[in-house]
Amino acid sequence: MTLSPSIDRALVFAAMLLLAVPAQADDLSLARKVKLLIDAYPQTLVGSEGGSILFGDGEPALPIDDGKAKDHTRKLASGDIEDSLSQIYPEGPCETRPKVNFDPGRIRSEALMKRLYGGSAREVEASLVEIEWFGSKLPVTKRQGVAQALEKVRDALKAMPDLTIFLTPSAGTFNWRKVAGASNLSVHSFGAAIDLNSRYADYWIWAGGKPGRVQGRDNRIPMSIVDAFERNGFIWGGRWYHYDTMHFEYRPELLAIAKAAGASACRQTFPSENSVSRGR
């Protein structure tokens, strides 16, 4: 059957509209998220097979899902790769008010982080370089393009000199240590995080919060700073229910997933808890 030219054009137009609409957060499968994770770290990750991530150095594959059911506390303490991708981070130059235990990016796979950046303080230190940061020198890993990405953030922020008071002195970059009050390593351990001027910071523990019971806060970090970081692969601790507004860490996979899922901080089109298809 031959379609009329008008129907033909209508079908083409409808197809273009479908392609233009980003996937919703609850349409993004685990397989799609894993692919975006792999694409975000091309220096190290080369693919997935049999439920595991493959590495270019020939080292053993790392399982995506350990098969253990976990509540939020256990995900934070011993998350696997699937857990680390289980909440969709909302990106964009707008503040968000996350619901209880919505901490996208605060859940991490320590095993994966060690494979990306180094399994010991000594191994991480071997890849550190110093970058200039508004009059000081900060040690940051060069692995996965972190130092280069942070330099791009700096260059973008230099065009906004009124923001310098929020940026310096930095409260720290590399520091091999555990998360405060926890057993898992901080991203600072891998040289892939930066804390800004603590004078303008709000932190859930400083505010007297308890896990799962956090006091509200009035953010003092300008969203133009957050936007500059997110545009270059860093997520912001101010998006977390357990907030840490001076904290930024390099997690380009979460920003790629946000874009694919259409998870906009400005449109508030993201879920408070992940409801994606597990794609198994």
Side-chain angles (χ1 to χ4, degrees):
M1 179 178 67
T2 302
L3 298 176
S4 71
S6 60
I7 295 176
D8 222 14
R9 285 195 298 271
L11 289 172
V12 171
F13 182 67
M16 290 175 66
L17 283 177
L18 287 171
L19 290 172
V21 176
Q24 294 303 304
D26 58 357
D27 292 333
L28 211 60
S29 69
L30 176 58
R32 177 101 181 269
K33 291 189 290 182
V34 167
K35 176 63 166 60
L36 292 168
L37 167 70
I38 292 165
D39 291 346
Y41 299 101
Q43 291 182 9
T44 302
L45 308 184
V46 296
S48 64
E49 184 177 75
S52 295
I53 294 288
L54 305 178
F55 297 86
D57 59 8
E59 289 296 311
L62 185 64
I64 294 167
D65 187 350
D66 60 17
K68 298 177 182 178
K70 306 183 189 82
D71 61 13
H72 190 66
T73 300
R74 290 189 63 198
K75 285 183 179 181
L76 291 171
S78 57
D80 56 25
I81 292 172
E82 187 272 332
D83 295 327
S84 75
L85 305 177
S86 64
Q87 293 181 328
I88 304 285
Y89 180 91
E91 54 91 26
C94 301
E95 287 194 53
T96 51
R97 295 292 176 183
K99 294 185 179 181
V100 176
N101 289 341
F102 184 66
D103 294 325
R106 190 167 172 254
I107 300 169
R108 311 174 187 99
S109 165
E110 188 170 302
L112 177 60
M113 298 297 283
K114 286 181 174 180
R115 299 288 286 274
L116 293 174
Y117 297 110
S120 66
R122 178 179 237 172
E123 191 175 350
V124 174
E125 286 171 345
S127 296
L128 294 178
V129 294
E130 286 192 337
I131 70 163
E132 187 277 326
W133 184 261
F134 300 94
S136 62
K137 298 285 187 180
L138 300 181
V140 182
T141 185
K142 64 183 178 182
R143 291 195 183 189
Q144 315 306 333
V146 174
Q148 185 178 25
L150 190 54
E151 288 176 331
K152 290 180 179 179
V153 174
R154 176 204 63 203
D155 292 346
L157 293 173
K158 278 186 173 181
M160 297 175 273
D162 290 348
L163 300 180
T164 304
I165 59 170
F166 300 97
L167 306 171
T168 186
S170 164
T173 50
F174 169 69
N175 184 5
W176 185 269
R177 63 170 175 82
K178 293 179 180 179
V179 173
S183 60
N184 53 308
L185 288 171
S186 164
V187 179
H188 287 282
S189 299
F190 305 106
I194 181 173
D195 287 340
L196 303 186
N197 188 346
S198 60
R199 179 180 177 184
Y200 300 98
D202 292 280
Y203 182 39
W204 67 279
I205 293 179
W206 295 348
K210 304 294 182 184
R213 290 188 292 120
V214 171
Q215 302 295 320
R217 52 93 172 119
D218 292 321
N219 173 50
R220 293 176 285 170
I221 301 297
M223 294 309 297
S224 49
I225 291 177
V226 176
D227 189 45
F229 272 97
E230 289 183 345
R231 287 178 181 273
N232 290 286
F234 291 83
I235 65 168
W236 178 42
R239 302 275 189 218
W240 303 336
Y241 173 73
H242 298 88
Y243 54 84
D244 185 357
T245 65
M246 67 180 170
H247 178 83
F248 293 86
E249 62 184 70
Y250 189 68
R251 301 289 294 283
E253 75 278 17
L254 296 184
L255 291 158
I257 289 168
K259 286 182 170 56
S264 168
C266 296
R267 294 194 304 271
Q268 302 285 290
T269 57
F270 59 97
S272 60
E273 292 295 336
N274 181 57
S275 57
V276 301
S277 165
R278 293 175 71 86
R280 299 184 189 183

